[in-house]
Amino acid sequence: MEPHPDLTISVIRGLGWLYLLMSLLNICWTFRSHKHDGYYNRMFGIDHLPKSMFWAIYSALLLVLAAVHLVFSADASSFLLRLPSWFKVAADTVIANPISFFCLSLVIFIAIIALRKWWVQPTVAWILFNLSVLFLAVSMTDYDFRQIVGKPDNVPIVGMLYLVGFTTWLYFYKANDNDERIAEGRPLAEKELSDQVLVWPDLVYSEMICMILVTSLLIVWGVALQAPLEEPASAVKTPNPSKAPWYFLGLQEMLVYYDPWMAGVVLPSVILVGLMAIPYIDFNTKGNGYYTFDERKFAIITFLFGFLPLWVGMIVLGTFIRGPNWNMFGLYEYWDVHKLEVLNNVNLSEYFWHGLGQPLPKPDAEAPGLSQVLTILSREWLGILLTLAYLFVLPPLMAVTVFKKFYVKMGFVRYMVLANLVLLMASLPLKMVLRWVFRLKYIVAIPEWFFNI
Amino acid sequence: MSVTEYIRKSQIWRSIFRHPAPYDRRNRAVVVLTNFFLHLHPVSAKKGGIALSYTWCMGGITFFLFLVEALTGVLLMFYYRPTLEWAFTDIRALRDVNTLGIMREIHRWGAHAMVITVWLHMYRVFLTGSYKPPREFNWVIGVLLLVLTLLLSFTGYLLPWDQLAIWAITVGSNMARATPFLGHEGPGFQLLNVGGFDLITNASDARFLLLGARTVGEETLNRFYILHCVAIPIVVSGLIAIHFWRVRKDGGISQPL
Ligand code: HEM
């Protein structure tokens, strides 16, 4: 028997239960659809065809699928329902490449915002949810996918993705509603619930139900999945890859583009200071205490960009896609320690001096300290100038152009804080693009002082 | 007289609950006012503010998970010794021989869940604009709670003392080496020297402070154990108390004016 089988009987059974669950959920959805969705006037030559027909057929198909998985008892290797390899190859090519990965997450991000009126419609959202579960389910028929997604410590990330998806949906659903109300001059949805109610029973009971649900979830989770315990610690056996805990993998991913002092110290501090500064730099008094998008577009888009593609997206990348030697691997790819990725990145100063046809100025170790410093600075002058310009010239420029309104309303200090925070956040995707397009390593490279940007 | 009635009328019961059962409007208000646990709440609130679809109950669930972690954590402490000799074996015993072993699972998954719910709570607070005046400062306290939640999880990650643990902590704490000025591989550390001697070395920098040693070792285990089981939980409890107090004092859960 194969050591790494794509399918085993227990995987097939597990999928059977999953399809059964999905079928039941979709049967519920069929009833909902029957109540709300109405009819097609004429379709396939039939008058008055209820839209819920399609959900009924789909649920039935899922039920058949579940039955097939649950009763199958022959050799697992002869089971035919599995992910075709052309799909695996195609998906891996897209995912295991930083450029297409980030383009993809950017496209999704833009679609979430631009198509917000479309995708939050319950039917569309339900279809998207179904597609994601089906994707997960068929992917489970791949051995390598199971190894990485099924790891006990990675399971919460899948859960988080669904929760983030659901809450984002809920936000846009409510914000769209309120935005329509505002546009039409009707009162906000929250306003319609402004009567006072007693906390007992209206709040304490829902709290108690929450507590019971969370407790049972934890117990079920604890029984179903054993907490990981690997070999005893050994200071000499370095695992490859060595990963930080999953919630820090966004930071670890930044190490690809920034040196540790930036990725591990400066940028995390900037994130925290930036978060704390939000209430003091957001001068927009609208949108306090209700869901809205139209009334605070800039704030929402900036925050969503930081949270969805940068924070959550990079956790996904760091957990599921970064493998040995921090190389990128497709979801269905074996984590080969010997996979080679040619890395030869070039510093800006090297581009500059070699472009001029000159060697890099080298500080003379014998020379007095000051002249060494001057040599280093003259070697890196272009990068230093660009960095300073980015942080200190760009904000005033933006103040008289794109951010004019902000500057007038915010005053100098607040504006500068905002501009620098936005620029620092933008510097990450910017550096990524520079890396991919120009193979740029450091803009300022002073390894002598551990000072690389 | 039915049994419940008998119990409710007894002196013992009435000494614990100083009011009749919350059957009517008046007593529903009184129960919230007089009960220590319930008095975190106001007596009444706007319907929209306590709607599940508004708060997602994420702050409440985060708090509940914190309590679950405290309870399961104390139980785990009975079975765990933070030394190189015992740490790993004690954890393995939780799996293999201990009846209460499932506490470890609940503690670990609860910790993951708490990280997720605290993010989602922040997400909700942002999306409803609830950090806007007068709630600016409570948002700042919230950010501190977020950091401490992550640190609680991070320090706990080391305690099983397996390969997963020490290497995750090694990777995570290596960053501290590069702290500007205060890390021995950080920019500017050379500036801190006296008479040609570096003040910042691998035995005196920010990373050493965190680990208590040059690499992740027994000193680190001890340090993280104390941070995880004593120091951070105390600070978090204090901040949560302030956080809740401020929710009330800032006018309750935010709602449109
Ligand atoms: C251990 C972590 C935390 C706990 C236990 C906690 C708990 C709570 C609870 C129970 C509420 C009442 C409303 C609700 O449930 O949404 C609340 C409100 C609030 N929280 Fe937190 N929280 C935590 C972390 C945070 C973080 C990370 C932030 C933001 C960065 C934050 C900012 C706020 C603000 C501004 C409010 C007032 C919201 C409003 O009035 O609508 N909290 N918190």
Side-chain angles (χ1 to χ4, degrees), chain A residues 172-193:
Chain A
F172 275 113
Y173 187 76
K174 307 199 87 182
N176 287 348
D177 178 34
N178 271 341
D179 288 345
E180 252 166 51
R181 288 162 178 264
I182 294 167
E184 295 166 7
R186 284 185 290 138
L188 296 162
E190 283 85 357
K191 258 288 204 259
E192 287 180 357
L193 298 173

Side-chain angles (χ1 to χ4, degrees), chain A residues 74-103:
Chain A
D75 182 12
S77 62
S78 65
F79 195 71
L80 288 178
L81 291 169
R82 55 176 81 211
L83 208 54
S85 52
W86 61 264
F87 180 85
K88 296 185 189 177
V89 174
D92 281 353
T93 327
V94 175
I95 279 175
N97 173 308
I99 305 181
S100 46
F101 183 89
F102 279 99
C103 289

Side-chain angles (χ1 to χ4, degrees), chain B residues 55 59-60 62-63 114 118 121-122 124-125 130 135 138-139 142-143 145-146 149 240 243-244 247 252-254:
Chain B
T55 64
T62 310
F63 179 52
M114 188 174 162
V118 81
H121 172 55
M122 178 168 91
R124 180 304 273 182
V125 171
S130 304
R135 297 184 181 79
N138 215 14
W139 168 272
V143 177
L145 280 169
L146 170 81
T149 306
I240 288 182
H243 194 61
F244 288 180
V247 171
I253 292 172
S254 60

